[in-house]
């Protein structure tokens, strides 16, 4: 059965400045480009069988994905649902915890709905393996799709720039609906 890989984009200017990037584009740093190239080389050298790369439309993820695609030869497609959460007027501010919409932003639940719908679609493609190139906020949602998490675990979860994580569909825990 197919599975997916997930990676976070390379380091950005706002990562270095510890600012929320959200839906605002913050370009990769020189190190970010290097991280993406190294990840592409790792994927190629480890012969990871990936059929398609799906990436966020934000330049930091798209540029990371382009480096990987160029090195590995894996086809690349932009997937709008992989865009990072929109933090409204709080983008470019120091990092904070956000549970709800702040003046035009996007709630965590809205983001989860779009990511879960994408993962549901990919799960049906049992003959394909995907690499998703997106953002740290998206990584929490993907992790929560595959594993039960407490609120504390969800808030603390994150991955490093260009870290790759493998998820297998058979590892998903099904939860029965509560009967009334």
């Amino acid at each position: 059965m197919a599975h997916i890989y997930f990676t976070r984009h390379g380091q950005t200017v706002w990562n270095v400045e510890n600012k929320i990037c959200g839906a605002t584009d913050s370009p990769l740093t020189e190190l970010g480009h290097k991280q993406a190239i190294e990840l592409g080389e790792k994927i190629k050298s480890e012969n990871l069988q990936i059929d398609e790369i799906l990436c966020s439309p934000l330049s930091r993820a798209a540029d990371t994905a382009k480096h990987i695609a160029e090195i590995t030869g894996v086809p690349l497609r932009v997937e709008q649902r992989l865009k990072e959460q929109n933090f409204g007027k709080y983008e470019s501010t120091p990092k904070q915890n956000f549970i709800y919409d702040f003046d035009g932003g996007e709630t965590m639940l809205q983001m989860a709905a779009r990511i879960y719908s994408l993962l549901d679609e990919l799960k049906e493609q049992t003959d394909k393996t995907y690499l998703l190139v997106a953002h740290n906020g998206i990584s929490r949602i993907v992790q929560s799709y595959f594993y039960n998490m407490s609120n504390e675990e969800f808030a603390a979860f994150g991955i490093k720039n260009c870290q790759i994580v493998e998820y297998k569909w058979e590892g998903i825990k099904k939860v029965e609906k509560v009967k009334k």
Side-chain angles (χ1 to χ4, degrees):
M1 178 175 265
H3 52 280
I4 64 167
Y5 294 97
F6 182 92
T7 192
R8 181 182 178 197
H9 57 75
Q11 181 191 71
T12 69
V13 172
W14 282 5
N15 290 155
V16 173
E17 296 173 357
N18 200 32
K19 292 181 178 178
I20 295 170
C21 296
T24 303
D25 258 330
S26 177
L28 294 177
T29 62
E30 185 176 325
L31 176 59
H33 285 285
K34 182 179 176 191
Q35 290 170 326
I37 291 166
E38 288 172 356
L39 178 56
E41 291 169 350
K42 176 182 178 175
I43 290 168
K44 186 174 182 176
S45 71
E46 292 182 8
N47 199 26
L48 297 183
Q49 298 301 305
I50 298 169
D51 298 300
E52 188 174 15
I53 299 169
L54 304 181
C55 72
S56 162
L58 297 174
S59 67
R60 60 191 181 267
D63 289 347
T64 299
K66 286 175 191 170
H67 285 302
I68 295 167
E70 288 171 1
I71 293 165
T72 63
V74 176
L76 167 65
R77 176 169 48 105
V78 173
E79 172 53 64
Q80 294 296 324
R81 289 174 285 185
L82 289 173
K83 189 173 185 179
E84 179 62 291
Q85 183 175 2
N86 182 334
F87 292 105
K89 70 180 186 178
Y90 291 92
E91 294 198 9
S92 85
T93 63
K95 293 188 181 225
Q96 299 177 29
N97 291 324
F98 296 100
I99 311 269
Y100 56 92
D101 176 352
F102 280 84
D103 298 331
E106 178 184 30
T107 69
M108 190 80 59
L109 294 177
Q110 290 167 326
M111 180 174 65
R114 67 179 157 85
I115 298 304
Y116 277 28
S117 72
L118 171 63
L119 293 171
D120 286 342
E121 287 175 21
L122 297 181
K123 183 179 177 187
E124 298 302 316
Q125 304 295 318
T126 58
D127 60 336
K128 290 184 93 173
T129 298
Y130 295 91
L131 169 63
L132 308 182
V133 182
H135 310 278
N136 206 34
I138 303 297
S139 75
R140 287 182 189 92
I141 302 298
V142 172
Q143 181 78 1
S144 74
Y145 182 92
F146 286 90
Y147 301 101
N148 290 325
M149 301 170 78
S150 69
N151 291 343
E152 293 78 19
E153 290 168 330
F154 182 84
F157 185 82
I159 65 172
K160 296 176 182 170
N161 295 106
C162 288
Q163 178 183 349
I164 191 166
V165 181
E166 180 179 14
Y167 294 98
K168 296 186 179 185
W169 299 119
E170 64 267 15
I172 300 172
K173 296 180 181 180
K174 298 292 182 189
V175 178
E176 291 184 25
K177 288 185 177 182
V178 176
K179 295 180 181 177
K180 293 183 179 182

